[in-house]
Amino acid sequence: MAPGSAEAEVLGRAFLTRVVEPGDEVAGRWVREYGVSEVVRRLRRGGRGLPGVSGKRWAGLRARADRAEPGRDLTAARDAGVRFVVPGDTEWPRQLDDLGDARPLGLWVRGRPSLRMWALRSVAVVGARACTEYGAHMAAGLAAGLAERGWVVVSGGAYGVDGAAHRGALGAGGATAAVLACGVDRPYPPGHTGLITRIAEQGLVVGELPPGDHPTPSRFVLRNRVIAALTRGTVVVEAALRSGSLVTARAAQRLGRHTMGVPGPATSGLSAGVHELLRGDAVLVTDAAEIVELVGDMGELAPDRRGPVLPTDLLDPRTRQVLAGLPARGAASADDVARRAQTTPDDAVARLYELRALGYVERHGDGWKLTRQPVIPDRQGRRGC
């Protein structure tokens, strides 16, 4: 095939996903400066190494290159219902370009929906693997609420908060995508094989690594930058002070994405990392409406939060002032009430009779006193407690 052709570009990028680690900015710079074909040619043929790496590292890359078989990887992917999406494809999410030289060389995608279209209206929900019942409950509830509002819930497919978020979205009949730190044909963790299979059937499973590749601790950390870049904002549900989900949140902040946190008990170590985020630039959220208010379109506002309306809230402010002028126990003259309410005796008497009709006060000789249980007329004029 001709160097520089679309087919050669795809084959070359598939080759590089087998040779270099995800997020390798040196390799990303090579691709930007020399082009995919030249980087592949140098790695395959050896000779003088590319700049920015030691001789030892170049030899390691060359050893990987000798074993890489991109044609076989692409065939195995097709057989598993996986496609390889590269920059320039119509399905490529352009927001990933914000990662610069750390941008993925390509993404292996399992599932029918368009990754680009789904990413345009997506939110990451991440958090602790060993989460509490509260964390799992909040993650599932937030994800369900987002799904019901037409948002795609993106997470990492892990135990704890990730799994709860995926299940919450699926349970609401909504859309969810899992970004893995391994080959998308190899569900990880093994205990989530059923969940990830269901996500692939109803949503998307995405990863940078070629078919059959395994996860490592560093790959989990590097995977998080993709979650942050792919979505409009990141919500951290529970996270200790050292947590991979905080890596996702900080990556989101660097990329100019919205960063949100769900508060937990002040005594919980699993919420300490979230609280530290909230002390910085992250925004406190407690439900899906508050998340959508941040990441959604103009006008998608969360409802005002108000406490219960008390009967006295319905009174005229000056009438409430007269009511407040009555002592908690015993009776008071109209003159005393007027003085405490800072009004005239005539105005106080008029408002006391109004309060009497509403059941708040009663006459007691020449004075006035509070009733034990005010009776408030309803809209039909009936009297009730």
Side-chain angles (χ1 to χ4, degrees):
M1 69 188 68
S5 67
E7 190 177 353
E9 180 82 5
V10 170
L11 196 65
R13 286 181 176 273
F15 166 83
L16 290 174
T17 64
R18 183 65 76 178
V19 175
V20 301
E21 284 295 303
D24 188 329
E25 294 190 56
V26 174
R29 187 170 69 250
W30 292 342
V31 169
R32 176 170 51 84
E33 294 179 353
Y34 298 98
V36 170
S37 296
E38 178 60 17
V39 175
V40 171
R41 188 188 69 81
R42 293 271 196 104
L43 285 165
R44 280 201 179 280
R45 296 185 181 180
R48 184 168 56 90
L50 288 162
V53 294
S54 65
K56 184 176 180 180
R57 186 176 171 208
W58 179 253
L61 292 172
R62 284 277 300 112
R64 282 189 174 192
D66 288 341
R67 295 192 300 271
E69 297 182 52
R72 188 174 70 176
D73 284 339
L74 290 168
T75 299
R78 281 193 297 270
D79 291 344
V82 176
R83 60 191 178 276
F84 186 52
V85 179
V86 301
D89 286 350
T90 56
E91 195 181 352
W92 181 257
R94 294 181 182 175
Q95 57 266 46
L96 291 177
D97 299 344
D98 294 345
L99 291 168
D101 289 337
R103 177 184 71 174
L105 293 159
L107 289 173
W108 304 86
V109 181
R110 184 179 166 200
R112 288 185 295 273
S114 166
L115 176 61
R116 183 178 71 85
M117 296 304 296
W118 272 30
L120 291 174
R121 193 173 168 85
S122 64
V123 177
V125 179
V126 298
R129 286 177 173 81
C131 69
T132 64
E133 288 185 14
Y134 164 78
H137 171 77
M138 289 301 298
L142 292 174
L146 288 167
E148 288 166 356
R149 288 166 172 80
W151 286 81
V152 178
V153 175
V154 178
S155 200
Y159 293 130
V161 166
D162 288 15
H166 290 307
R167 290 188 183 95
L170 291 169
T176 188
V179 182
L180 304 186
C182 56
V184 295
D185 62 332
R186 174 182 284 189
Y188 187 90
H192 272 182
T193 298
L195 174 62
I196 292 171
T197 300
R198 186 180 171 199
I199 294 170
E201 291 170 350
Q202 298 182 220
L204 289 171
V205 178
V206 182
E208 294 179 80
L209 292 157
D213 223 338
H214 62 280
T216 63
S218 64
R219 288 173 173 178
F220 284 114
V221 174
L222 291 164
R223 177 272 311 273
N224 292 343
R225 83 194 193 288
V226 177
I227 295 176
L230 197 62
T231 53
R232 297 274 287 271
T234 293
V235 183
V236 184
V237 176
E238 278 188 325
L241 288 171
R242 292 188 61 180
S243 170
S245 52
L246 298 183
V247 174
T248 311
R250 290 172 186 136
Q253 288 175 332
R254 289 194 300 271
L255 292 165
R257 309 292 197 264
H258 294 286
T259 308
M260 296 152 276
V262 176
T267 54
S268 172
L270 280 174
S271 289
V274 180
H275 295 162
E276 192 64 24
L277 276 179
L278 293 173
R279 284 168 54 85
D281 296 328
V283 177
L284 186 151
V285 293
T286 59
D287 62 20
E290 292 174 349
I291 297 170
V292 172
E293 183 176 63
L294 280 176
V295 302
D297 297 326
M298 187 177 296
E300 293 188 73
L301 302 178
D304 291 336
R305 310 296 179 183
R306 295 178 180 174
V309 177
L310 301 176
T312 53
D313 294 336
L314 305 176
L315 297 175
D316 179 275
R318 288 170 297 178
T319 304
R320 280 202 304 272
Q321 199 168 354
V322 168
L323 182 62
L326 284 159
R329 287 199 177 99
S333 68
D335 288 344
D336 287 340
V337 173
R339 187 170 58 253
R340 291 170 184 162
Q342 299 179 33
T343 188
T344 65
D346 288 343
D347 181 60
V349 169
R351 295 185 185 280
L352 284 166
Y353 274 106
E354 176 186 346
L355 289 167
R356 180 187 179 187
L358 292 171
Y360 284 101
V361 302
E362 58 188 34
R363 285 292 301 269
H364 189 74
D366 292 333
W368 296 84
K369 64 183 292 188
L370 295 171
T371 58
R372 290 187 177 182
Q373 187 173 1
V375 179
I376 311 300
D378 64 16
R379 290 182 181 179
Q380 285 74 39
R382 297 188 299 268
R383 292 167 66 86
C385 293

